[in-house]
Amino acid sequence: MFLRFLNQTGLILFVSGWHWLAAGLGLGLTALGLAWFTGKRLGVTGGFADACSAVTKSGSSSGWKIWFLVGLPLGGLVSTIGNWSWTLAYGQFDALTYGDIWYKAIGLFLCGILIGFSARWAGGCTSGNTIMGVALGSKLAVLATLAFLAAGILVTNILFKAVM
Amino acid sequence: MAIARKTSRASKAPKKSIAAASAAKPEEISTAISPRSISIFILFGFLFGYFLSKARATSYDAIVDMFMLKEFQLYGVLGVAILVVAAGLFLTHRFKKPTLSGAALDWKLLKFEPKRLIGALLFGAGWALAGATPATVLTQLGEGKVFAVFTVAGIFVGVWAFQKWKPKDSSGNNC
């Protein structure tokens, strides 16, 4: 009985995904905790920018976001450590790239450029604009979030309905 | 909006003291972070990555299903997270203690400019195509999704390119 309970808990903590209520609560409380304990405002793209500035030696930010970025992969590691393994998978996109690793690598690199460039242009990414910005009632953040979702829905539907 | 306005009003006093402190000390001080705060920021990054992974925001298929309107999961996650943050900030301001130390949150919100929506539309397309955002792509790395390496490399190039192209629009970001 006790062993079964331990096993269940282990699965929930280190293997499986959660219901949106629980996961959303966790994300919200993390963002709140960051504000409460450190006075900082959650934003991930800024961390990439700080890392760029650190390399090119321009700009004078405090760089706390770089340390926040270091924590993110650790969270992903622990969340899946129960059945962790390397994977080359790209979900349903594998069918679009014919499973070819060069298509995937070059495609994702180009998508990365698009994401980094446009996140700065939009004034923030999903963490800075959608979670923090909307919660603070910023007009830019609300409209940007609607634009994120509209473009995402459009592009995905074109890809999976028209192309495939 | 009310909270944001309150934040900027409340932050006037501490801003002065920050300005005074930085005037008295040389630039270098602002870039130094103590090991203790480094570990706190890593801990919050860890928690954020953990919950992103639990939300399945790092799953390529969950993102396709979200944009194909097949699954409510990620909309629910975002909605709950926004509500929790909004309610929490409302309460902490209500009780006049926005942070543990009692200092005000010194956050400026970006002004709305229509041209930023072009960036937002492109970001949505990138999110859909790469199945990742700047936060989830790093979490995917931790989960062992090898190809996230290429997305991460691309994001660095993209952020750097925008900084070169429009240094003014790059500073004071919401993110």
Side-chain angles (χ1 to χ4, degrees):
Chain A
M1 184 71 185
F2 181 66
L3 272 179
R4 222 179 105 206
F5 172 75
L6 266 188
N7 194 21
Q8 279 304 96
T9 319
L11 277 178
I12 291 169
L13 286 179
F14 304 118
V15 179
S16 64
W18 292 357
H19 189 269
W20 49 267
L21 252 175
L25 197 68
L27 288 173
L29 288 178
T30 306
L32 260 185
L34 186 69
W36 171 258
F37 285 106
T38 70
K40 304 287 188 201
R41 171 179 177 185
L42 177 72
V44 176
T45 314
F48 281 94
D50 286 354
C52 277
S53 313
V55 172
T56 58
K57 298 203 169 125
S58 60
S60 58
S61 61
S62 63
W64 69 268
K65 284 178 173 170
I66 298 175
W67 298 110
F68 187 86
L69 294 197
V70 170
L72 288 171
L74 300 176
L77 174 71
V78 171
S79 160
T80 53
I81 202 146
N83 65 348
W84 194 93
S85 66
W86 294 108
T87 170
L88 302 178
Y90 184 17
Q92 296 173 48
F93 294 100
D94 270 328
L96 286 170
T97 53
Y98 312 106
D100 184 285
I101 57 166
W102 289 106
Y103 276 134
K104 269 202 271 194
I106 295 167
L108 281 173
F109 180 67
L110 294 177
C111 288
I113 296 179
L114 178 67
I115 291 173
F117 191 82
S118 59
R120 294 309 271 174
W121 194 350
C125 56
T126 353
S127 58
N129 258 342
T130 304
I131 297 183
M132 293 313 288
V134 174
L136 287 164
S138 146
K139 184 182 170 194
L140 169 67
V142 173
L143 291 175
T145 300
L146 292 177
F148 292 168
L149 295 177
I153 289 168
L154 185 74
V155 167
T156 310
N157 274 282
I158 289 174
L159 264 187
F160 285 91
K161 280 202 178 131
V163 177
M164 282 187 77
Chain B
M1 215 40 180
I3 293 171
R5 243 181 264 132
K6 231 182 259 171
T7 313
S8 62
R9 213 184 300 136
S11 64
K12 263 176 199 158
K15 223 186 275 168
K16 259 181 222 157
S17 61
I18 289 168
S22 61
K25 286 168 190 169
E27 266 298 294
E28 283 165 49
I29 303 297
S30 67
T31 54
I33 309 181
S34 71
R36 190 164 159 270
S37 31
I38 285 179
S39 56
I40 289 173
F41 289 127
I42 293 181
L43 173 71
F44 276 108
F46 166 81
L47 286 173
F48 202 70
Y50 182 80
F51 289 123
L52 277 178
S53 175
K54 288 304 178 198
R56 300 207 300 118
T58 51
S59 151
Y60 295 118
D61 285 341
I63 287 166
V64 172
D65 288 345
M66 167 202 197
F67 285 136
M68 293 296 276
L69 306 176
K70 277 187 203 157
E71 245 191 285
F72 178 73
Q73 172 78 10
L74 290 179
Y75 295 108
V77 167
L78 284 175
V80 171
I82 292 168
L83 283 180
V84 168
V85 173
L89 289 181
F90 177 77
L91 285 176
T92 51
H93 279 83
R94 181 107 211 189
F95 294 111
K96 306 217 156 76
K97 212 173 174 209
T99 57
L100 186 64
S101 63
L105 296 165
D106 188 13
W107 296 346
K108 280 177 223 129
L109 285 169
L110 271 190
K111 246 190 281 164
F112 174 69
E113 291 164 284
K115 64 175 180 183
R116 292 222 181 250
L117 292 182
I118 305 169
L121 287 171
L122 290 175
F123 182 84
W127 183 5
L129 289 172
T133 67
T136 57
V137 75
L138 289 168
T139 314
Q140 285 175 339
L141 268 187
E143 290 177 344
K145 297 193 170 89
V146 177
F147 277 92
V149 173
F150 296 100
T151 324
V152 171
I155 292 178
F156 275 114
V157 175
V159 166
W160 172 82
F162 191 79
Q163 225 152 333
K164 284 271 151 197
W165 186 51
K166 292 219 160 139
K168 257 191 197 165
D169 284 347
S170 201
S171 61
N173 227 284
N174 269 354
C175 230

